[in-house]
């Protein structure tokens, strides 16, 4: 089997079957030494493939969560804590990177190559740096134990990864109302973030405790984190729906953490929580707290299709934080859900101006500009999106549609032809093919 190149993008087929090629070529099971246990483990996904799949899928997921925070000080602080934990982990050589993402829901996740993200929604509920270290350590634990790669290897044998290409869990990411421009979803992000088993969670808990105490954090931070999550879930289950889907939580895990701290890490309770340092570094985020909570309420109402009430709540949030990227895009999506496209466009354009490097606003603005027949602006929006997140074939279709609207038949035909080389089913493919036939490029 030829080694997978790390400097080139994988096709969808390669992405979904990375490692399965090993089975087809060799016809035998592969084993690798687990970096945590040291024991032989059934594994068809190499470390190189873990990193490549991460690099391909994580940018889309980060964008679905409204991008990495513009608060560079906060992101640097979280990254520093994450790096200190990664350095004492079983796989310090992995290319870890840490992100505070602008999503309001309560969650944290890790991709197999070392990309770790936590939402601003969960950081609002964390009380001190030790609890945050527990959160990040848990996610680093999943990377170190190779939980995603192990699950993928098993699925390759059971039925092939192609059967997971439409993993339903992917739809839970990226906002209540899903992707506005149908077909612009990320490649495989849902697959890589599908739920862990309870055994995986227990092991990640244990590793999180190990790493945080190695880095001199009080292990009671893990207990505090789990108490917070369990209390929130009891009080308002919907607030943690996504996190509990991907990270099964139970009172048993909380009890185990308490027992482990009291027995194995009793002496480590002398370490600090660093609450004051956490409060100092999250002061700007906590100032946004009231607006974020209004947005959380609006998203919940939107999910219940109570759009008028949701719009009122989002309006309250934007009065408190008029230039909040997430709030602006959520308001645009709420208006789109009500088919108020003209009203939705200024919010999407404002969001793009607030955070020009983050592509989701360009995507939403581009679709709305097409509806408004502002084809030149739509083309510019999709070109900006494609530059930030290259490789999505549907962007090529929308660029072709904009060229068609401007009367640039040749450019539109070229875009449609390239699109059809990658996608040959669906409404967009039918439109592209019909135009090529109508214009005489296909007979």
């Amino acid at each position: 089997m030829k080694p997978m190149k790390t400097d080139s993008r994988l096709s969808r087929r390669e992405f979904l079957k990375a490692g399965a090629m090993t089975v087809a070529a060799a016809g035998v099971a592969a084993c690798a030494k687990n970096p945590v246990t040291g024991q032989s483990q059934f594994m068809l996904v190499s470390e190189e493939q873990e990193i490549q799949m991460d690099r391909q899928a994580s940018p889309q997921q980060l964008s679905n969560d409204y991008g990495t925070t513009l608060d560079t000080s906060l992101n640097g602080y979280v990254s520093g804590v994450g790096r200190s934990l990664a350095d004492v982990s079983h796989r310090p050589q992995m290319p870890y990177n840490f992100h505070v993402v602008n999503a309001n829901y309560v969650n944290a996740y890790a991709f197999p190559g070392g990309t770790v993200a936590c939402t601003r929604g969960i950081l609002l509920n964390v009380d001190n740096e030790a609890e945050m270290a527990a959160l990040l350590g848990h996610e680093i634990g999943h990377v170190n134990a190779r939980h995603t790669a192990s699950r993928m290897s098993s699925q390759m044998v059971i039925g092939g990864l192609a059967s997971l290409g439409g993993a339903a869990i992917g739809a839970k990411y990226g906002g209540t109302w899903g992707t506005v421009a149908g077909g612009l979803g990320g490649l495989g992000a849902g697959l890589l973030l599908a739920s862990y088993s309870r055994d995986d969670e227990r092991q990640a808990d244990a590793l999180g405790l190990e790493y945080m105490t190695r880095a001199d954090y009080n292990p009671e931070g893990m207990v505090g984190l789990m108490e917070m999550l369990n209390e929130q879930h009891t009080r308002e289950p919907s607030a943690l729906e996504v996190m509990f889907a991907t990270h099964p939580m139970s009172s048993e895990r909380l009890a185990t953490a308490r027992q482990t701290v009291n027995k194995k890490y009793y002496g480590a309770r002398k370490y600090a929580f660093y609450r004051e340092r956490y409060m100092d570094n999250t002061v700007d985020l906590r100032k946004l707290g009231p607006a974020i909570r209004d947005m959380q309420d609006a998203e919940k109402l939107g999910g219940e299709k109570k759009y008028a009430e949701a719009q009122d709540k989002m309006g309250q949030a934007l009065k408190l934080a008029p230039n909040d990227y997430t709030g602006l895009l959520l308001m645009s999506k709420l208006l789109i859900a009500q088919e108020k496209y003209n009203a939705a466009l200024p919010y999407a354009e404002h969001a793009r101006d607030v955070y020009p490097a983050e592509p989701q606003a360009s995507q939403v603005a581009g679709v709305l500009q097409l509806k408004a027949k502002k084809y030149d602006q739509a083309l510019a929006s999709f070109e900006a999106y494609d530059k930030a997140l290259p490789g999505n074939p549907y962007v090529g279709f929308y660029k072709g549609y904009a060229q068609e609207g401007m009367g640039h038949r040749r450019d539109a035909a070229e875009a449609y032809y390239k699109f059809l080389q990658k996608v040959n089913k669906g409404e967009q493919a039918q439109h592209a093919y019909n135009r090529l036939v109508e214009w005489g490029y296909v007979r």
Side-chain angles (χ1 to χ4, degrees):
M1 187 186 77
K2 295 181 179 179
M4 188 171 292
K5 297 180 180 179
T6 58
D7 58 349
S8 61
R9 291 183 59 82
L10 302 175
S11 69
R12 179 177 178 83
R13 185 179 185 86
E14 290 170 330
F15 181 89
L16 293 175
K17 294 189 177 180
M21 295 166 60
T22 307
V23 178
V28 294
C31 289
K33 183 179 179 181
N34 185 282
V36 171
T37 66
Q39 298 176 352
S40 182
Q41 178 184 26
F42 176 74
M43 185 64 63
L44 299 176
V45 179
S46 71
E47 183 174 291
E48 182 183 55
Q49 289 167 335
E50 286 181 293
I51 293 170
Q52 178 64 3
M53 287 186 287
D54 183 323
R55 288 175 178 170
Q56 187 162 340
S58 60
Q60 176 67 51
Q61 181 58 47
L62 297 177
S63 182
N64 285 350
D65 282 331
Y66 304 97
T68 302
T69 178
L70 287 167
D71 186 344
T72 55
S73 177
L74 175 63
N75 205 72
Y77 166 63
V78 173
S79 296
V81 173
R83 187 71 253 179
S84 72
L85 297 164
D87 286 345
V88 297
S89 73
H90 292 86
R91 301 174 81 188
Q93 79 281 3
M94 296 295 283
Y96 293 98
N97 55 97
F98 299 87
H99 304 263
V100 178
V101 289
N102 288 313
N104 299 315
Y105 69 109
V106 176
N107 199 19
Y109 50 86
F111 281 87
T115 296
V116 177
C118 54
T119 65
R120 64 182 186 177
I122 198 169
L123 290 184
L124 273 179
N125 291 284
V126 169
D127 184 65
N128 54 65
E129 192 173 300
E131 288 186 6
M132 185 177 75
L135 178 70
L136 298 176
H138 176 97
E139 298 304 333
I140 293 168
H142 283 305
V143 176
N144 277 259
R146 306 193 71 193
H147 287 151
T148 298
S150 177
R151 185 183 68 249
M152 292 173 72
S153 296
S154 297
Q155 289 294 342
M156 288 175 194
V157 173
I158 293 170
L161 274 177
S163 66
L164 291 179
I169 195 71
K172 292 187 178 181
Y173 293 86
T176 304
W177 307 285
T179 303
V180 173
L184 286 180
L187 173 61
L191 171 63
L192 295 185
L193 294 178
S195 59
Y196 297 110
S197 71
R198 293 193 182 276
D199 285 342
D200 288 346
E201 290 300 301
R202 292 185 188 102
Q203 188 177 30
D205 289 344
L207 290 170
L209 271 168
E210 181 176 345
Y211 300 153
M212 69 185 295
T213 52
R214 284 184 186 179
D216 296 344
Y217 286 103
N218 192 312
E220 290 285 353
M222 179 67 81
V223 176
L225 174 70
M226 290 194 179
E227 286 176 340
M228 178 272 288
L229 292 173
N230 274 283
E231 286 171 6
Q232 281 221 348
H233 188 57
T234 300
R235 187 167 60 248
E236 190 174 358
S238 62
L240 291 172
E241 180 182 353
V242 174
M243 185 166 191
F244 276 55
T246 55
H247 295 272
M249 182 64 70
S250 67
S251 56
E252 177 231 347
R253 283 179 57 201
L254 173 57
T256 299
R258 285 175 175 154
Q259 185 178 34
T260 305
V261 170
N262 287 331
K263 290 185 176 180
K264 187 174 182 179
Y265 296 105
Y266 185 84
R269 295 197 298 186
K270 65 185 178 183
Y271 297 141
F273 289 95
Y274 300 109
R275 186 176 192 274
E276 186 175 350
R277 189 160 71 189
Y278 184 81
M279 291 295 151
D280 287 344
N281 280 280
T282 58
V283 62
D284 289 336
L285 173 65
R286 286 183 289 106
K287 286 178 183 176
L288 276 176
I292 291 172
R293 291 187 178 92
D294 280 341
M295 292 179 210
Q296 290 171 335
D297 290 341
E299 289 184 87
K300 181 181 178 181
L301 290 166
E304 297 169 354
K305 297 186 179 181
K306 298 176 181 178
Y307 297 125
E309 295 175 55
Q311 187 177 331
D312 288 342
K313 268 290 180 184
M314 197 61 68
Q316 292 178 29
L318 288 174
K319 285 181 181 178
L320 297 172
N323 292 315
D324 186 81
Y325 177 77
T326 306
L328 291 164
L329 269 182
L330 284 171
M331 178 64 96
S332 183
K333 292 179 182 181
L334 273 171
L335 292 165
I336 290 170
Q338 299 172 76
E339 300 184 358
K340 299 178 180 178
Y341 303 119
N342 291 335
L345 179 56
Y347 287 101
E349 291 177 333
H350 187 178
R352 182 197 56 203
D353 294 341
V354 165
Y355 197 168
E358 211 303 293
Q360 188 179 162
S362 293
Q363 170 193 335
V364 177
V367 173
L368 291 167
Q369 287 158 347
L370 286 178
K371 285 186 172 293
K373 299 185 178 181
K374 298 179 178 181
Y375 298 116
D376 55 339
Q377 295 178 30
L379 179 62
S381 292
F382 284 113
E383 285 178 341
Y385 179 92
D386 201 26
K387 183 178 180 180
L389 276 179
N392 192 317
Y394 287 89
V395 177
F397 168 81
Y398 286 113
K399 288 199 285 187
Y401 194 87
Q403 293 281 12
E404 178 186 344
M406 290 188 287
H408 302 163
R409 183 175 292 184
R410 184 181 182 86
D411 291 332
E414 183 177 345
Y416 286 156
Y417 179 78
K418 290 179 179 178
F419 170 70
L420 288 170
Q421 302 309 299
K422 299 176 181 179
V423 180
N424 56 21
K425 293 181 180 179
E427 292 182 11
Q428 293 96 336
Q430 189 64 53
H431 177 93
Y433 179 77
N434 289 344
R435 286 293 183 267
L436 291 179
V437 170
E438 180 184 331
W439 296 337
Y441 290 98
V442 174
R443 295 181 181 178

